[in-house]
Amino acid sequence: MIKALLSALLVLVAVTSTFGKYIPKSGKRIPQTLSRGWGDQLIWGQTYEEALYWSRSRNKPLMVIFHLEDCPHSQALRKVFSEDNEIQKILDEDFIVLNLVYETTDKHLSPDGQYVPRIIFVDPSMTVRADITGRYANRMYAYEPADIKLLLSNMQKAKKLLKSEL
Amino acid sequence: MIKALLSALLVLVAVTSTFGKYIPKSGKRIPQTLSRGWGDQLIWGQTYEEALYWSRSRNKPLMVIFHLEDCPHSQALRKVFSEDNEIQKILDEDFIVLNLVYETTDKHLSPDGQYVPRIIFVDPSMTVRADITGRYANRMYAYEPADIKLLLSNMQKAKKLLKSEL
């Protein structure tokens, strides 16, 4: 009963809030988020240029996640990543975060090739931390859900800045 | 009464949906959207690379909006832009759209300098349409709210592709 009432009210709110606005033929869409499910409470950069700027100016390391929305390995990692409160808290407080579904033109972000999921750390000095790697020799920046603790310890490594006097 | 009930139910939904999830010390945040208020119903590219890819593969012109969230000129243009259903419909059906708050490394996107708001059209052949300009000689790609009809006619120009056989 409460549920039915709630649904009706939510529909009412949705209808009134879109009154007079453009609605696609295929129906109303949910606005896309920058998080893409990797942490709705984090403040995500939109582009690599923006993320580098924030990393430098706030002197925080940058985490870049390359993924694809229809890749099962990306989805599996995203689930444990977004539900790990320790990772989310450290990212929120000590990192700049960026997730991308397209490669950039900067080759430094693909030290051993372009694959997903792939997590690259960048120092505030704008140096890609190619030394911070995962568990797999053939895809050094890949992580599986079981590697989440390794990812956490790599985040601790990334927090020790190359040039802390910056 | 309905309003109070609705508020209570919305709080309930918000509380239950975040149960156990990470919440920043400063309080729960509204997830950031890619539209940034320029059209919540449009499907926005995230990066220039992504937008170029979609433009080429779908053979649709690309509109790139450079703006700043705390710039009053950007805000004024955004208001008329997002509320103009004709513009929103044409963009949704015939264009690829991208809005950026940071400059890219591609100098072709700033033919007469970096300023906001600035609207640049790119052909699916990946050619920047420097010929499609606004009303101001010193800032050729700037538009004011009163220029919205000029913007609309420029969109029609951009729809006539340079190489329509692509």
Side-chain angles (χ1 to χ4, degrees), chain A:
Chain A
M1 171 56 197
I2 292 275
K3 229 175 175 178
L5 185 62
L6 178 63
S7 303
L9 284 169
L10 284 178
V11 167
L12 187 72
V13 170
V15 167
T16 50
S17 70
T18 59
F19 180 74
K21 284 187 190 166
Y22 169 69
I23 295 176
K25 277 180 200 159
S26 52
K28 193 163 189 277
R29 304 186 186 118
I30 297 165
Q32 306 153 275
T33 62
L34 273 174
S35 80
R36 287 202 172 91
W38 289 81
D40 276 350
Q41 291 299 302
L42 303 184
I43 295 171
W44 294 88
Q46 179 183 358
T47 63
Y48 188 44
E49 290 85 0
E50 177 177 355
L52 280 180
Y53 174 82
W54 286 120
S55 172
R56 285 182 66 177
S57 59
R58 297 184 185 172
N59 203 33
K60 289 180 175 182
L62 163 63
M63 174 193 273
V64 186
I65 304 167
F66 290 91
H67 66 109
L68 285 173
E69 300 206 79
D70 53 2
C71 154
H73 299 282
S74 299
Q75 290 164 355
L77 182 63
R78 180 173 65 186
K79 184 167 164 38
V80 299
F81 184 100
S82 64
E83 291 175 356
D84 189 309
N85 285 354
E86 193 174 358
I87 283 185
Q88 294 287 316
K89 182 178 194 293
I90 296 171
L91 288 177
D92 187 30
E93 295 176 356
D94 302 327
F95 281 79
I96 304 298
V97 286
L98 174 70
N99 77 80
L100 294 173
V101 292
Y102 276 78
E103 296 291 336
T104 70
T105 50
D106 191 330
K107 299 294 168 222
H108 296 102
L109 288 174
S110 46
D112 64 347
Q114 299 181 342
Y115 51 85
V116 294
R118 178 169 106 246
I119 297 182
I120 307 276
F121 293 97
V122 185
D123 194 71
S125 64
M126 296 178 69
T127 309
V128 169
R129 296 290 304 267
D131 60 311
I132 302 182
T133 62
R135 200 181 293 285
Y136 310 100
N138 57 336
R139 295 186 160 203
M140 300 211 322
Y141 307 94
Y143 296 83
E144 296 198 356
D147 305 329
I148 200 82
K149 289 298 160 208
L150 174 59
L151 180 62
L152 191 61
S153 84
N154 280 348
M155 286 165 56
Q156 301 296 354
K157 252 188 234 175
K159 276 174 66 177
K160 292 184 187 123
L161 306 185
L162 297 180
K163 298 182 183 175
S164 50
E165 75 278 14
L166 262 179

Side-chain angles (χ1 to χ4, degrees), chain B residues 38 63-68 74 77 98-100 102-104 106-121 139-143 151:
Chain B
W38 289 82
M63 173 192 274
V64 186
I65 305 167
F66 290 91
H67 66 110
L68 286 173
S74 298
L77 182 63
L98 174 69
N99 77 80
L100 293 174
Y102 277 79
E103 295 291 336
T104 70
D106 191 330
K107 299 292 168 222
H108 296 103
L109 288 174
S110 46
D112 65 346
Q114 300 181 342
Y115 51 85
V116 294
R118 176 169 107 247
I119 297 181
I120 308 276
F121 293 97
R139 295 186 161 204
M140 299 209 324
Y141 307 94
Y143 296 83
L151 180 62

Side-chain angles (χ1 to χ4, degrees), chain B residues 51 56 89 92 116 121 158:
Chain B
R56 286 182 65 176
K89 181 177 195 291
D92 187 29
V116 294
F121 293 97

Side-chain angles (χ1 to χ4, degrees), chain B residues 78-149:
Chain B
R78 180 174 64 186
K79 185 168 164 34
V80 298
F81 184 100
S82 64
E83 290 174 356
D84 189 309
N85 284 355
E86 193 174 0
I87 283 186
Q88 294 287 316
K89 181 177 195 291
I90 296 171
L91 288 177
D92 187 29
E93 294 176 357
D94 302 327
F95 281 79
I96 305 298
V97 286
L98 174 69
N99 77 80
L100 293 174
V101 291
Y102 277 79
E103 295 291 336
T104 70
T105 52
D106 191 330
K107 299 292 168 222
H108 296 103
L109 288 174
S110 46
D112 65 346
Q114 300 181 342
Y115 51 85
V116 294
R118 176 169 107 247
I119 297 181
I120 308 276
F121 293 97
V122 185
D123 193 72
S125 65
M126 295 178 69
T127 309
V128 169
R129 296 290 304 266
D131 60 311
I132 302 183
T133 61
R135 199 180 294 286
Y136 310 101
N138 56 336
R139 295 186 161 204
M140 299 209 324
Y141 307 94
Y143 296 83
E144 297 198 354
D147 306 329
I148 200 80
K149 289 295 161 211

